[in-house]
């Protein structure tokens, strides 16, 4: 089996008997060197099916000038040479001994991109197939994504068009969240889902239709303060009607 010798400047972050190195490689070169071991193959693979749409979205992200700071984690099924004097890591790689443990979509995204960027990589050495699968499960089962309600909350710091429906919705959320005369004061949550409180997600579902409908009466209300008052009055009236119906 033909192998290619590559030499990389690296940091040795080995721990115990596990050899591990941090370095970088161009995305397109790494794509040609490393193999993805898929769970639907016959070689006891473990990686998920590639979502090409997701990878192409990452490619567009890269071509927009953005970096990918998260490391691609690789398994090198051999013993590397590491020169502690000049921090040079030497690997003899082929399509059987250099495998992607985590980050296949970032790797494919970098290979699809027009710009060939450096990818940070973390290389674990001499893992058994069992250890590879365990690392894959540990990495992916312990990750926790950012909640949608926190994503909405942080979006307000990124919007350029402060008159867009999204910007208006976020301003209205803040007013209803913090105004002393808001009927929803103390009943909303900004950064996490809490039972019994209104988060950004249901708030968006309720307001988006009337914000994007330019023919609606609500859209013709111009100032954010007036829009807030419309919602406040509606909610207050609804609350009174609900309370009265319960008395009956």
């Amino acid at each position: 089996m033909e192998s290619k010798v590559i030499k990389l400047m690296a940091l040795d972050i080995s721990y115990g008997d596990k050899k591990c190195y941090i370095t970088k490689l161009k995305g397109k070169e790494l794509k040609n060197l490393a193999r993805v071991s898929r769970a639907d193959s016959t070689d006891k693979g473990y990686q998920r099916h590639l979502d090409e749409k997701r990878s192409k979205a990452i490619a567009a992200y890269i071509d927009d000038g953005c970096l990918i700071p998260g490391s691609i984690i690789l398994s090198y099924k051999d013993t590397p040479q590491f020169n502690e004097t000049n921090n040079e890591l030497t690997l003899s790689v082929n399509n059987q001994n250099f495998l992607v443990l985590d980050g296949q979509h970032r790797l494919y995204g970098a290979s699809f991109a027009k710009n060939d960027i450096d990818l940070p990589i973390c290389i674990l050495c001499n893992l058994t197939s069992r250890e590879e699968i365990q690392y894959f499960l540990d990495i992916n089962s312990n990750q926790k994504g950012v909640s949608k309600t926190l994503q909405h909350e942080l979006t307000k710091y990124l919007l350029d068009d402060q008159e867009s429906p999204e910007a208006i919705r976020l301003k209205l959320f803040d007013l209803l969240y913090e105004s002393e005369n808001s009927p929803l004061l103390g009943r909303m949550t900004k950064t996490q889902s809490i039972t019994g409180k209104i988060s950004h997600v249901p708030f968006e579902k309720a307001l988006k239709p009337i914000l994007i409908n330019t023919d609606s009466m609500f859209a013709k209300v111009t100032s954010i303060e007036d829009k807030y008052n419309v919602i406040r009055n509606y909610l207050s009236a609804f609350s009174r009607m609900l309370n009265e119906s319960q008395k009956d």
Side-chain angles (χ1 to χ4, degrees):
M1 184 179 301
E2 186 177 352
S3 296
K4 179 178 180 180
V5 175
I6 58 173
K7 296 179 182 293
L8 306 165
M9 297 298 296
L11 292 176
D12 183 352
I13 60 166
S14 301
Y15 179 70
D17 62 348
K18 290 293 184 289
K19 293 295 182 182
C20 186
Y21 304 90
I22 293 178
T23 182
K24 67 177 183 178
L25 264 173
K26 291 292 185 183
K28 297 184 187 303
E29 180 180 7
L30 181 58
K31 169 62 173 56
N32 290 329
L33 292 172
R35 181 172 68 90
V36 177
S37 177
R38 302 206 184 282
D40 57 4
S41 68
T42 58
D43 62 351
K44 296 184 180 180
Y46 45 83
Q47 284 284 358
R48 294 162 288 190
H49 178 72
L50 179 72
D51 184 341
E52 190 167 312
K53 183 178 179 181
R54 180 180 170 192
S55 293
K56 288 184 176 179
I58 293 173
Y61 179 80
I62 292 170
D63 287 334
D64 281 342
C66 300
L67 291 171
I68 299 181
S71 293
I72 309 296
I73 302 176
L74 302 155
S75 170
Y76 178 63
K77 299 172 76 69
D78 208 335
T79 302
Q81 296 177 18
F82 184 70
N83 188 324
E84 295 182 357
T85 302
N86 61 6
N87 291 325
E88 185 178 74
L89 179 68
T90 302
L91 307 172
S92 178
V93 303
N94 56 58
N95 64 358
Q96 295 298 317
N97 72 352
F98 205 39
L99 308 179
V100 178
L101 281 180
D102 184 65
Q104 65 161 327
H105 288 95
R106 282 169 282 148
L107 174 58
Y108 274 79
S111 72
F112 290 150
K114 296 176 183 176
N115 299 323
D116 194 8
I117 66 167
D118 286 319
L119 291 177
I121 60 175
C122 178
I123 304 172
L124 287 158
C125 303
N126 269 325
L127 298 180
T128 65
S129 295
R130 183 184 181 89
E131 287 173 325
E132 287 175 345
I133 293 171
Q134 187 62 61
Y135 271 111
F136 173 80
L137 291 174
D138 290 343
I139 292 166
N140 288 283
S141 56
N142 291 322
Q143 289 182 354
K144 186 175 181 180
V146 178
S147 68
K148 286 188 176 181
T149 192
L150 180 55
Q151 290 178 36
H152 282 299
E153 175 64 15
L154 297 178
T155 297
K156 67 185 180 185
Y157 302 114
L158 305 177
L159 294 174
D160 294 322
D161 182 2
Q162 292 301 308
E163 300 304 319
S164 67
E166 188 172 18
I168 292 170
R169 172 176 53 78
L170 291 167
K171 290 175 185 176
L172 289 171
F173 187 97
D174 281 347
L175 286 170
L176 287 162
Y177 178 88
E178 61 196 24
S179 298
E180 291 186 3
N181 65 350
S182 168
L184 297 181
L185 184 65
R187 299 177 179 178
M188 303 176 75
T189 174
K190 282 190 171 187
T191 59
Q192 57 184 319
S193 296
I194 299 175
T195 302
K197 293 196 174 186
I198 299 172
S199 70
H200 280 286
V201 177
F203 190 79
E204 178 191 27
K205 288 182 179 178
L207 259 70
K208 186 175 181 179
I210 61 173
L211 286 173
I212 64 176
N213 182 3
T214 55
D215 295 327
S216 70
M217 293 298 295
F218 189 74
K220 300 184 189 313
V221 179
T222 55
S223 74
I224 194 70
E225 291 78 12
D226 288 343
K227 287 181 184 292
Y228 164 73
N229 285 327
V230 169
I231 295 174
R232 179 177 63 83
N233 292 337
Y234 172 80
L235 291 174
S236 297
F238 182 82
S239 179
R240 286 195 301 270
M241 292 175 62
L242 185 63
N243 288 332
E244 290 173 3
S245 69
Q246 289 177 335
K247 290 178 183 178
D248 297 338

